[in-house]
């Protein structure tokens, strides 16, 4: 083997120079854009082509690998030039609007064109969501058996020898934690210190709500729930949380019927994660 082998279109072996490993994506983007007649396309047509075609070229690789930021910027550059000019050969051209404005969602006045680094992050977040939500996927069970033997996705610490894929998935953990919350059942799956517990709090606010004298690590939420009455144990809430926050914690609903805890995504009405909602 020469080190340039691919499997399903992606590099089989990664080197320290990731930009070189994925240079073929840049070549594909330039090749596709160079073949289009920009002069014959309106701004609306260019927008559609960038969103539907150009940004879809590296999607398969982005779904499993974190591309270098420098490469993502190199992919953004020809797409931006294609939208503003009628030629990719121009070195200098006038942008009448900042890229930040164009890349905003349509609801905020932008065109909905996404940066490649954001697309990459959203794809990887989907893998992180599968790990956090206990997906039945076979690869999830393998990673959990390897890295979460005595813990879970929220608490596991990766060893230095962890695989590239595992490190990329674990890098999305904070993002998943901020965008999700548990629908409380029996409380067995929820670690009150590490799991997203309070719907209207981020993790920093949640941890600030704890009693500073308590040691809330490695404590399951089931300790705070009266399983028979399906209600919160006030004495336990007073032990673990500050008095000013107890009322808010008690307002978190508990499912009335016996059920396991379910992780839901706050960005969608259904509670299921979607790549679109992660941008």
């Amino acid at each position: 083997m020469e080190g340039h082998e691919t499997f399903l279109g992606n590099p089989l072996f990664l080197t320290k120079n990731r930009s070189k490993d994925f240079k073929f994506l840049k070549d594909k983007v330039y090749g596709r854009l160079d073949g289009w007649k920009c002069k014959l396309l309106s701004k609306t047509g260019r927008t559609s082509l960038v969103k539907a075609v150009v940004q879809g070229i590296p999607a398969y690789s982005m779904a499993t690998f974190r591309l270098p930021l420098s490469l993502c910027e190199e992919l953004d550059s020809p797409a931006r030039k294609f939208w503003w000019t009628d030629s990719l050969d121009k070195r200098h051209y006038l942008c009448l609007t900042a890229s930040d404005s164009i890349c905003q969602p349509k609801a905020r006045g932008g065109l909905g064109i996404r940066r490649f680094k954001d697309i990459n992050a959203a794809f990887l977040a989907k893998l992180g969501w599968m790990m956090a939500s206990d997906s039945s996927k076979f690869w999830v069970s393998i990673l959990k058996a390897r890295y979460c033997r005595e813990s879970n996705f929220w608490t596991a610490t990766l060893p230095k020898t962890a695989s590239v894929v595992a490190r990329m998935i674990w890098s999305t953990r904070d993002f998943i934690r901020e965008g999700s919350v548990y629908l409380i059942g029996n409380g067995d799956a929820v670690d009150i210190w590490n799991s997203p517990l309070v719907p209207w709090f981020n993790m920093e606010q949640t941890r600030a709500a704890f009693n500073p004298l308590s040691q809330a690590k490695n404590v399951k939420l089931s300790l705070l729930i009266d399983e028979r009455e399906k209600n919160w144990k006030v004495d336990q809430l007073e032990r673990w949380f500050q008095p000013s926050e107890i009322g808010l914690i008690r307002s978190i609903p508990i499912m009335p019927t016996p059920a396991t805890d379910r992780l839901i995504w706050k960005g969608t009405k259904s509670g299921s994660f979607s790549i679109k909602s992660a941008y």
Side-chain angles (χ1 to χ4, degrees), residues 215-268:
Q215 297 293 328
K217 296 183 179 180
N218 300 320
V219 176
K220 295 296 184 181
L221 188 64
S222 55
L223 181 66
L224 283 65
I225 297 175
D226 187 328
E227 187 64 27
R228 179 179 298 179
E229 299 294 333
K230 287 296 177 181
N231 208 341
W232 296 99
K233 295 179 180 178
V234 178
D235 59 330
Q236 291 294 332
L237 293 179
E238 292 175 346
R239 174 186 177 185
W240 296 107
F241 293 94
Q242 297 192 44
S244 59
E245 308 296 345
I246 291 178
L248 291 175
I249 303 299
R250 293 184 66 182
S251 66
I252 299 175
I254 300 174
M255 287 188 282
T257 57
T260 57
D261 307 305
R262 178 192 170 197
L263 189 67
I264 59 175
W265 184 250
K266 293 187 288 187
T268 60

Side-chain angles (χ1 to χ4, degrees), residues 33-267:
L33 289 174
D34 196 40
W36 288 338
K37 301 297 182 181
C38 302
K39 291 182 179 180
L40 304 179
L41 294 172
S42 64
K43 283 290 193 293
T44 303
R46 296 179 195 181
T47 301
S48 298
L49 285 175
V50 169
K51 294 168 64 175
V53 181
V54 177
Q55 294 188 336
I57 291 174
Y60 183 73
S61 297
M62 286 182 167
T64 49
F65 294 99
R66 184 178 294 281
L67 303 186
L69 290 179
S70 59
L71 178 59
C72 290
E73 292 172 357
E74 290 176 359
L75 295 175
D76 286 328
S77 179
R80 183 168 55 246
K81 186 181 293 186
F82 169 78
W83 196 86
W84 280 108
T85 72
D86 57 3
S87 174
L88 294 181
D89 298 327
K90 291 184 178 180
R91 287 190 174 184
H92 304 286
Y93 57 96
L94 179 62
C95 297
L96 301 179
T97 306
S99 297
D100 290 341
S101 299
I102 294 177
C103 294
Q104 290 291 324
K106 290 184 177 180
R108 299 180 184 175
L111 296 177
I113 297 176
R114 301 181 176 96
R115 291 186 175 88
F116 282 97
K117 68 174 183 179
D118 296 332
I119 298 174
N120 195 187
F123 273 115
L124 294 179
K126 182 177 181 180
L127 302 182
W129 169 260
M130 291 181 182
M131 285 291 298
S133 60
D134 295 325
S135 171
S136 59
K137 299 287 186 181
F138 182 62
W139 66 266
V140 172
S141 62
I142 292 177
L143 288 182
K144 285 193 172 184
R146 178 67 177 85
Y147 302 111
C148 305
R149 294 179 182 177
E150 299 179 358
S151 57
N152 55 38
F153 178 66
W154 304 120
T155 60
T157 301
L158 292 180
K160 294 182 179 180
T161 56
S163 67
V164 174
V165 173
R167 289 198 298 269
M168 287 187 292
I169 293 175
W170 254 256
S171 69
T172 68
R173 182 165 58 182
D174 289 340
F175 176 77
I176 297 297
R177 186 156 28 205
E178 295 298 333
S180 61
V181 69
Y182 273 100
L183 187 61
I184 307 302
N186 54 24
D188 289 337
V190 182
D191 182 305
I192 65 174
W193 182 258
N194 293 290
S195 302
L197 169 62
V198 186
W200 43 84
F201 282 175
N202 57 34
M203 283 307 300
E204 183 178 354
Q205 293 171 320
T206 299
R207 289 174 176 173
F210 283 100
N211 185 341
L213 300 179
S214 64
Q215 297 293 328
K217 296 183 179 180
N218 300 320
V219 176
K220 295 296 184 181
L221 188 64
S222 55
L223 181 66
L224 283 65
I225 297 175
D226 187 328
E227 187 64 27
R228 179 179 298 179
E229 299 294 333
K230 287 296 177 181
N231 208 341
W232 296 99
K233 295 179 180 178
V234 178
D235 59 330
Q236 291 294 332
L237 293 179
E238 292 175 346
R239 174 186 177 185
W240 296 107
F241 293 94
Q242 297 192 44
S244 59
E245 308 296 345
I246 291 178
L248 291 175
I249 303 299
R250 293 184 66 182
S251 66
I252 299 175
I254 300 174
M255 287 188 282
T257 57
T260 57
D261 307 305
R262 178 192 170 197
L263 189 67
I264 59 175
W265 184 250
K266 293 187 288 187

Side-chain angles (χ1 to χ4, degrees), residues 266-277:
K266 293 187 288 187
T268 60
K269 293 182 179 180
S270 65
S272 299
F273 179 89
S274 70
I275 293 177
K276 182 179 180 180
S277 67

